[in-house]
Amino acid sequence: MSLDLYRSSMVTCRYAIPASLAPVGQDQGSESHEILQQKIESAMAKVVLDHPFLRVGLLGEDKRKPYFVELEAVDFRRHVEWRSFGRDADYETELLKLIAARLDVKVESPVDAPSWRVLVLRVEGSAFLEVMFEWGHAHLDGTSAKMFHEDLLRNLNSQVVVGEFQDRVLTIPPSKRRDLLPPLHALVKFPVSTGYALATLWGELAPSGLSTDSKAELRATWAPMKVKPYATQCRHFSIDNATLQRILAACRKHNTTVTGLLQALSHVILSVRLSPEEAKGFLGSTIVNLRPLMSAPEVVKKKALKSGEMDPKKTMANFMTQMAHEWDAEWVSKVRAAKVSASASHDGPSNEGKRESTTAKEMAVLEPLVWSAAESARAAIQKRLDDGTKNDPMGLMKFIPDYRALFKDWIKKPRGHSVVVTNLGVIDGNPSDPASDDVAARTDAEEQGEKWTIERAIFSISAEAHGAALCLCPIAVKGKELYVSCDWHDCALDVALAEGFVADLEAWLRYIGRSTT
């Protein structure tokens, strides 16, 4: 992050406040507000105690080999901010403006504090609050942010008392000061074949004059690699749960997932919106959570993993990787030809209703190509999961002496990926068992017959100046709406193209999830 290629990531969740606490905390600074603040921050303090990477600093962020530093205390006055809005505020508009603004505010990685921050929002007279968790990627990944909210929810529904949390300062007990996880490569094996290593390293590290780029026509040259001025553009839309369930049913019918569908739809849309001169093909990418792969006996290296002392699936850290999808010139040509054929079949004067029916007919013609591509993307993801940690880019990190030099080299080359999909899946906002891991704890829900719940989630990422042209961030709360964010680097992409892409994606999802009854 010291190269200013990326600044912030965030997951924002809306928490419904139990009825007994809903009237509390209306006026910031009042005694009732202090009660609510203490409840929330005590629950957060328990999360911080449970996860080592929430209580470490970073030494030498701008050096070749930075190091994590265990901290003796975490000052919530430095990390947790509370804001309130009046009853008359256009809160939804203000929330999205706030998300957009904070994406460009770097989450610092100092030596004396952890790399995360929280903004808690209240609306006067409302029975909910918004918790915006923001983090730096050197410490955590998106799955970690999802865990943060899940753990926070569990703690809110428990009688959590953290004796080490006083006056908004969490003192880390000595027993917790030596539990920092070792590096990922010390936990898990990342075997690589000679062919994979040579081909990948040559493609990434060879001088531009010597390397042969076999994927040159797939690269996103239509989104020039520009680092400055740094500014993130983001757009959002939501899909109601009934429509989402029909989308999921359609995905199951066609042997794919939402991630596979988003990959296919994204590149169908770009094939239509970009000319053959601008793009002959595309390279997409998907973020892959490594946690499910880390427990396989053949890849485990550390005794803590072998003995079950550390469960990767319950550990907040940066355990992610990335895989590519190729959409070659032949496939893109088929999409464009189908679009032209569907458009040419319409006669008569154009009007608003006609444009709507034309769009639907074009989608009907293109839909078989969408599903075949979605199934292909899902199969590629499944193969990647089946391969485990073999031939993963993480296995080549030991050959990179200076990551800063690698990133500096990347930004001199044409942009590679068109769209990256980073899907956090589903948060259970109303788990059936809210009990704490502490068997002695009794839950508020048991005592009062009410619970805290999560009603909505929004996942957003600041632009990666060196990364994909467009970043899709879907997340849903179980039984609630799907929220999709799309982020891009302002100076690298025409806003009309990006906004058209987002509008088309929403229209496609609504088309696939339409009711046929």
Side-chain angles (χ1 to χ4, degrees):
M1 284 174 61
S2 61
L3 297 175
D4 202 25
L5 301 178
Y6 150 88
R7 293 188 180 175
S8 174
S9 300
M10 65 182 70
V11 172
T12 305
C13 285
R14 175 168 295 179
Y15 289 74
I17 306 172
S20 60
L21 285 174
V24 171
Q26 295 302 322
D27 299 316
Q28 197 158 333
S30 66
E31 181 179 354
S32 60
H33 173 79
E34 293 299 324
I35 295 172
L36 183 65
Q37 180 172 325
Q38 181 65 25
K39 175 72 174 178
I40 296 289
E41 293 191 358
S42 293
M44 286 184 191
K46 179 67 163 60
V47 179
V48 175
L49 277 182
D50 288 343
H51 295 281
F53 274 109
L54 293 178
R55 41 187 166 83
V56 295
L58 187 65
L59 175 64
E61 180 190 12
D62 57 348
K63 305 299 183 182
R64 287 178 58 184
K65 291 185 177 181
Y67 297 92
F68 289 116
V69 179
E70 293 179 319
L71 303 174
E72 296 183 356
V74 177
D75 189 344
F76 277 35
R77 293 169 297 186
R78 188 171 173 178
H79 291 276
V80 183
E81 178 186 355
W82 289 72
R83 293 187 194 177
S84 60
F85 292 82
R87 294 174 183 267
D88 298 331
D90 184 359
Y91 175 70
E92 287 300 315
T93 299
E94 292 301 317
L95 173 63
L96 294 182
K97 286 181 180 178
L98 196 54
I99 289 174
R102 290 178 74 89
L103 282 175
D104 281 345
V105 180
K106 180 181 177 181
V107 179
E108 299 293 344
S109 298
V111 66
D112 62 342
S115 184
W116 60 267
R117 62 188 180 220
V118 169
L119 178 61
V120 185
L121 306 174
R122 267 314 291 277
V123 179
E124 183 182 352
S126 69
F128 71 87
L129 54 78
E130 215 91 46
V131 177
M132 185 182 295
F133 177 74
E134 306 167 64
W135 74 93
H137 252 308
H139 296 63
L140 307 169
D141 57 13
T143 300
S144 300
K146 180 179 172 182
M147 286 185 201
F148 175 90
H149 284 287
E150 291 172 336
D151 286 4
L152 177 61
L153 179 63
R154 184 182 67 245
N155 294 342
L156 285 170
N157 282 315
S158 302
Q159 292 283 21
V160 170
V161 177
V162 182
E164 299 87 353
F165 186 60
Q166 300 290 331
D167 298 323
R168 303 192 73 201
V169 176
L170 175 64
T171 302
I172 311 303
S175 61
K176 293 282 190 180
R177 293 182 192 170
R178 292 293 179 266
D179 61 355
L180 184 61
L181 298 174
L184 181 58
H185 286 81
L187 293 171
V188 178
K189 300 174 185 176
F190 287 92
V192 294
S193 65
T194 303
Y196 172 81
L198 291 176
T200 305
L201 290 171
W202 180 256
E204 293 295 340
L205 303 179
S208 57
L210 296 178
S211 63
T212 301
D213 190 351
S214 61
K215 298 179 176 59
E217 68 175 15
L218 305 182
R219 292 186 177 273
T221 55
W222 44 273
M225 188 76 78
K226 296 179 181 179
V227 177
K228 296 182 179 180
Y230 187 98
T232 299
Q233 288 272 7
C234 60
R235 301 294 185 271
H236 312 263
F237 65 86
S238 63
I239 300 293
D240 64 89
N241 183 57
T243 302
L244 172 59
Q245 294 307 312
R246 290 191 289 268
I247 292 171
L248 292 172
C251 286
R252 289 190 291 269
K253 179 180 177 181
H254 292 91
N255 301 312
T256 191
T257 60
V258 169
T259 300
L261 177 61
L262 289 175
Q263 280 288 348
L265 289 176
S266 296
H267 292 94
V268 164
I269 292 167
L270 290 176
S271 297
V272 170
R273 284 194 166 267
L274 294 171
S275 69
E277 292 73 29
E278 292 172 305
K280 291 182 173 61
F282 302 99
L283 277 175
S285 63
T286 295
I287 300 300
V288 178
N289 178 15
L290 282 171
R291 289 169 180 81
L293 312 179
M294 291 173 62
S295 300
E298 64 272 16
V299 303
V300 171
K301 293 172 69 174
K302 201 70 175 178
K303 290 182 179 179
L305 281 175
K306 292 180 179 178
S307 64
E309 293 176 10
M310 190 201 88
D311 184 354
K313 295 178 182 178
K314 296 181 180 179
T315 302
M316 292 177 67
N318 191 1
F319 292 158
M320 51 159 277
T321 188
Q322 191 169 359
M323 63 167 291
H325 305 268
E326 295 186 18
W327 310 95
D328 61 22
E330 181 181 359
W331 180 83
V332 172
S333 294
K334 288 180 180 179
V335 171
R336 287 170 173 155
K339 170 65 167 61
V340 170
S341 175
S343 300
S345 65
H346 297 288
D347 299 314
S350 175
N351 53 57
E352 189 65 25
K354 192 67 174 179
R355 283 200 295 274
E356 290 175 358
S357 64
T358 299
T359 300
K361 184 167 185 179
E362 289 173 351
M363 289 180 178
V365 172
L366 290 167
E367 191 173 3
L369 287 170
V370 168
W371 287 121
S372 63
E375 183 177 1
S376 175
R378 169 55 185 161
I381 294 170
Q382 188 58 57
K383 182 180 185 305
R384 174 66 190 80
L385 296 175
D386 292 342
D387 288 342
T389 59
K390 181 181 179 181
N391 286 344
D392 185 273
M394 292 299 298
L396 302 176
M397 294 298 101
K398 58 187 176 183
F399 298 110
I400 309 298
D402 187 346
Y403 293 101
R404 289 169 55 83
L406 177 64
F407 282 108
K408 288 178 180 179
D409 185 55
W410 273 350
I411 62 178
K412 296 176 184 177
K413 298 178 179 180
R415 190 180 305 276
H417 295 145
S418 50
V419 178
V420 59
V421 177
T422 175
N423 186 356
L424 292 189
V426 178
I427 290 180
D428 188 350
N430 188 15
S432 57
D433 180 12
S436 167
D437 288 338
D438 181 357
V439 296
R442 298 180 62 191
T443 68
D444 289 342
E446 291 172 333
E447 293 180 352
Q448 302 174 7
E450 57 182 19
K451 294 167 60 177
W452 289 80
T453 59
I454 294 177
E455 300 297 312
R456 186 180 72 180
I458 303 174
F459 176 30
S460 306
I461 294 179
S462 69
E464 289 191 338
H466 63 293
L470 294 151
C471 178
L472 288 180
C473 305
I475 189 170
V477 173
K478 184 178 179 181
K480 308 291 182 179
E481 65 190 327
L482 168 72
Y483 221 90
V484 181
S485 299
C486 181
D487 311 294
W488 67 91
H489 200 195
D490 182 57
C491 67
L493 204 57
D494 177 66
V495 68
L497 170 62
E499 289 184 337
F501 170 88
V502 176
D504 287 351
L505 183 62
E506 180 179 2
W508 262 108
L509 288 174
R510 295 193 184 283
Y511 171 81
I512 289 171
R514 68 196 183 283
S515 175
T516 57
T517 59

